[in-house]
Amino acid sequence: MLNRLIIASNNAHKISELKSILSDRFDEILSVKDAGIDVEPEETGVTFEENSLIKAQCVKNLKNDCAVIADDSGLMVDALDGAPGVYSARFAGECCNDEANNSKLLALMDGVTDRSAKYVAVVTLIDKDGKIYTGKGEVKGVILNEYQGKGGFGYDPLFLCNELNKTFAEVTADEKNSVSHRARAIKDLLNNLRNA
């Protein structure tokens, strides 16, 4: 059905994850950079669904001859009323990095006993003909008091996955893809595609 796909992201970690999960579904998977697109859409949505669609539609408007997929994802911490949520990548400010975001999270969680959290991802695929499909996934865990593991990205060193009993920074790519919010969102998306 779809043989060429552009991932509407400049995040190397996300691109790698999505390529790994979707490699057997498409003949060719390109990042926006591979496709010669230089765009960074403004994420003005207040939900993961809205931001995912904004990113996918932006790239689709520029490359109408193939399918486009985008995701929006983040960490939702119960004790912080779901924050950082859609602001996960810029939690500590517009020009921040993973270390600054994690430092802010640790500071806000200092002394907090309820450390439950979840990673959430929403993926939007716009097929070659312009039809829109979405999928959502989440994985539950807890926020640790200190970093554990050297891999992953974002909040992975602080997020202890309930199902694996390891942080996402301690697991292999295959382990992470077996339970991750992004992998589950893709699975949900593929089910929706099959049922369309």
Side-chain angles (χ1 to χ4, degrees):
M1 175 183 164
L2 303 166
N3 49 16
R4 190 166 188 249
L5 179 71
I6 296 175
I7 300 171
S9 177
N10 290 304
N11 182 314
H13 297 288
K14 282 187 181 182
I15 291 165
S16 177
E17 256 184 52
L18 286 168
K19 279 186 174 181
S20 174
I21 295 166
L22 291 168
S23 60
D24 61 340
R25 306 273 176 180
F26 297 91
D27 299 325
E28 186 179 20
I29 301 176
L30 305 170
S31 68
V32 282
K33 187 177 178 184
D34 294 336
I37 299 169
D38 184 13
V39 65
E40 194 70 58
E42 194 176 349
E43 296 178 32
T44 55
V46 295
T47 65
F48 295 119
E49 288 84 356
E50 289 173 2
N51 283 333
S52 179
L53 179 59
I54 286 168
K55 290 187 268 192
Q57 194 65 66
C58 178
V59 173
K60 183 65 176 171
N61 290 343
L62 297 170
K63 283 280 184 183
N64 200 31
D65 61 338
C66 58
V68 173
I69 193 168
D71 98 305
D72 196 50
S73 55
L75 180 71
M76 299 183 75
V77 180
D78 290 348
L80 302 180
D81 297 321
V86 294
Y87 304 104
S88 291
R90 52 194 188 278
F91 192 40
E94 284 298 326
C95 298
C96 63
N97 57 23
D98 290 349
E99 188 177 346
N101 286 332
N102 281 315
S103 293
K104 180 174 180 178
L105 178 62
L106 285 173
L108 289 172
M109 294 297 286
D110 187 32
V112 175
T113 52
D114 177 9
R115 304 186 74 83
S116 56
K118 63 184 177 183
Y119 266 129
V120 178
V122 173
V123 292
T124 299
L125 185 141
I126 305 177
D127 73 13
K128 190 176 175 183
D129 300 321
K131 290 179 185 165
I132 298 170
Y133 304 89
T134 61
K136 185 173 182 178
E138 51 184 65
V139 58
K140 294 184 177 180
V142 294
I143 302 302
L144 299 179
N145 290 303
E146 59 186 27
Y147 286 26
Q148 207 166 289
K150 303 276 189 196
F153 64 101
Y155 301 92
D156 287 357
L158 295 175
F159 182 81
L160 184 77
C161 172
N162 290 345
E163 290 163 82
L164 299 176
N165 201 31
K166 296 178 188 175
T167 69
F168 272 177
E170 295 177 293
V171 299
T172 65
D174 285 345
E175 284 178 305
K176 185 176 181 181
N177 288 341
S178 73
V179 300
S180 83
H181 51 307
R182 197 165 289 113
R184 287 175 172 166
I186 293 287
K187 185 177 179 182
D188 187 39
L189 170 72
L190 293 174
N191 283 337
N192 292 337
L193 277 169
R194 276 192 291 271
N195 295 330

